Amino acid sequence: MHIARQDIDPGIDLFAEIERLKRERNAVILAHYYQDPDIQDIADHLGDSLKLAQDAGSTDADVIVFCGVHFMAETAKIVNPGLTVLLPDLEAVCSLADSCPPDAFGKFVKEHPGHTVITYINTTATVKALSDIICTSSNAVQVVAGIPEDQPIIFSPDRHLGNYVMRQTGRDMLLWDGSCIVHEIFSEQEILRLKDENPGALVLAHPECEANILRHADHIGSTTSIIKFATTDDHEKFIIATEEGVLHQMQKLAPHKTYIPAPTTTGCACSQCPYMRKITVEKVYLSLRDMQPVIEIDEQLRKQALKPIEKMLAL
Ligand code: 13P
Ligand code: SF4
């Protein structure tokens, strides 16, 4: 969505206007930890992908402004179809979801009959509808461990998360070959250098990272789990291998500790998700003011995609 500054009255206080519009529309802001700190601070519900799906299902608001990426807003609409779900920029997509095109995935599933299809929440509604159960980074190991040992499994779309789950559970799975551009650019060499420079620092990593990064991690988990570990563990220094938005909550919850974003292979220390960061305070204001862009989904597809999500939420 192209935003021209002239679309916004330069005299207004954007934050006050967002609050006013939220009350007027009975709206809530849901935000993921990878959002810009300003957006995290105005969120009514802040969380990882699992918590945001749960919060979307239980809110009594009429409108959700989803500050995250498209699959998250779409999941909110799937679990709570009576709501108006706004995504302030429709270009906030996800490289991992894009790495699993529905047609190719449907063909892959057909070619491997008899498999239980476990799909990460970072996918389109159509891919979810082709799946038996959805998982997130906080429950992927639990979901896979709950499938009978002799039952073959397809796991999609993230091969790094899939490989991690295989190592954790000892299960063999057929993996879809997808990945996330943000979690694939951390540099093993630079992380080792940082560890040398910061003796005693622990490495915390998201399971979407490659195995050569995960093998140096002292803790692996979802964004919520990484934030919790960093802010409650006895150690004082942490190297963080995930999108750097998580540092904002760490600094708020335990400001006396040191958090170092893991360096990337590009030499830049800024591991920001370019899709998550498409959402800005200006776009949040405009979406509430104009009540768009709205997330729409075909009702039959919604019902099909809901089934595997409900299985996960029931866990
Ligand atoms: P979480 O499940 O930790 O929220 O991760 C979502 C995500 O997009 C990671 O890149
Ligand atoms: Fe998708 Fe990666 Fe961004 Fe997460 S960090 S939303 S997986 S592109």
Side-chain angles (χ1 to χ4, degrees):
M1 182 172 57
H2 175 70
I3 301 286
R5 288 295 310 179
Q6 61 267 30
D7 285 346
I8 301 177
D9 175 352
I12 65 167
D13 174 343
L14 278 180
F15 293 96
E17 276 302 297
I18 288 172
E19 281 308 312
R20 185 185 67 74
L21 286 165
K22 261 172 44 183
R23 281 193 300 276
E24 193 176 301
R25 311 227 185 268
N26 189 24
V28 282
I29 296 178
L30 269 62
H32 190 267
Y33 291 122
Y34 293 166
Q35 291 289 295
D36 187 83
D38 273 349
I39 295 192
Q40 295 191 35
D41 289 346
I42 59 171
D44 300 289
H45 301 264
L46 182 65
D48 63 5
S49 50
L50 177 62
K51 178 166 187 296
L52 293 175
Q54 290 165 332
D55 290 352
S58 61
T59 184
D60 52 12
D62 296 320
V63 178
I64 284 180
V65 184
F66 212 111
C67 298
V69 288
H70 190 278
F71 77 82
M72 295 179 174
E74 190 175 58
T75 303
K77 184 70 183 174
I78 293 168
V79 299
N80 207 337
L83 286 178
T84 299
V85 178
L86 305 170
L87 179 63
D89 188 335
L90 288 178
E91 286 177 14
V93 291
C94 165
S95 63
L96 182 50
D98 284 352
S99 70
C100 191
D103 286 353
F105 186 65
K107 195 165 164 270
F108 180 75
V109 170
K110 269 210 186 101
E111 282 165 3
H112 300 95
H115 286 64
T116 294
V117 182
I118 303 181
T119 292
Y120 194 36
I121 199 163
N122 296 39
T123 41
T124 60
T126 314
V127 168
K128 288 186 176 78
L130 292 164
S131 309
D132 295 302
I133 182 161
I134 302 303
C135 68
T136 74
S137 57
S138 42
N139 59 23
V141 170
Q142 187 194 351
V143 168
V144 170
I147 305 295
E149 296 240 340
D150 56 348
Q151 173 61 39
I153 296 173
I154 288 175
F155 188 92
S156 76
D158 189 4
R159 65 174 185 276
H160 303 306
L161 176 65
N163 275 313
Y164 166 72
V165 172
M166 288 207 287
R167 291 194 294 277
Q168 291 298 110
T169 59
R171 295 292 296 266
D172 194 23
M173 302 192 293
L174 206 49
L175 302 183
W176 182 260
D177 193 17
S179 60
C180 154
I181 53 164
V182 177
H183 288 87
E184 271 193 329
I185 59 162
F186 294 115
S187 159
E188 179 181 20
Q189 212 182 337
E190 289 298 303
I191 288 177
L192 289 175
R193 185 186 56 77
L194 265 185
K195 270 171 76 95
D196 275 351
E197 278 174 14
N198 297 277
L202 298 189
V203 176
L204 314 185
H206 195 279
E208 285 174 24
C209 294
E210 290 179 287
N212 68 340
I213 302 298
L214 294 181
R215 70 168 171 240
H216 302 294
D218 300 288
H219 177 77
I220 298 170
S222 73
T223 46
T224 298
S225 165
I226 289 175
I227 293 168
K228 191 171 172 209
F229 190 95
T231 53
T232 57
D233 183 77
D234 289 342
H235 287 76
E236 292 290 316
K237 235 183 212 188
F238 303 92
I239 299 164
I240 309 296
T242 191
E243 216 274 6
E244 67 178 44
V246 296
L247 268 69
H248 182 56
Q249 292 308 311
M250 293 174 186
Q251 277 146 0
K252 278 175 95 169
L253 293 166
H256 58 285
K257 296 192 179 194
T258 305
Y259 311 106
I260 310 169
T264 63
T265 46
T266 58
C268 160
C270 48
S271 43
Q272 293 187 349
C273 171
Y275 309 106
M276 284 278 180
R277 303 298 178 130
K278 282 202 174 284
I279 310 296
T280 61
V281 173
E282 284 83 358
K283 291 177 193 172
V284 171
Y285 162 71
L286 286 175
S287 69
L288 266 170
R289 187 191 71 183
D290 303 339
M291 290 297 282
Q292 56 140 334
V294 176
I295 298 290
E296 308 276 11
I297 182 166
D298 169 79
E299 182 56 13
Q300 203 189 335
L301 173 62
R302 186 193 72 78
K303 283 187 182 148
Q304 281 166 355
L306 179 63
K307 282 186 215 156
I309 297 175
E310 279 182 333
K311 274 197 205 152
M312 172 188 74
L313 294 176
L315 282 177

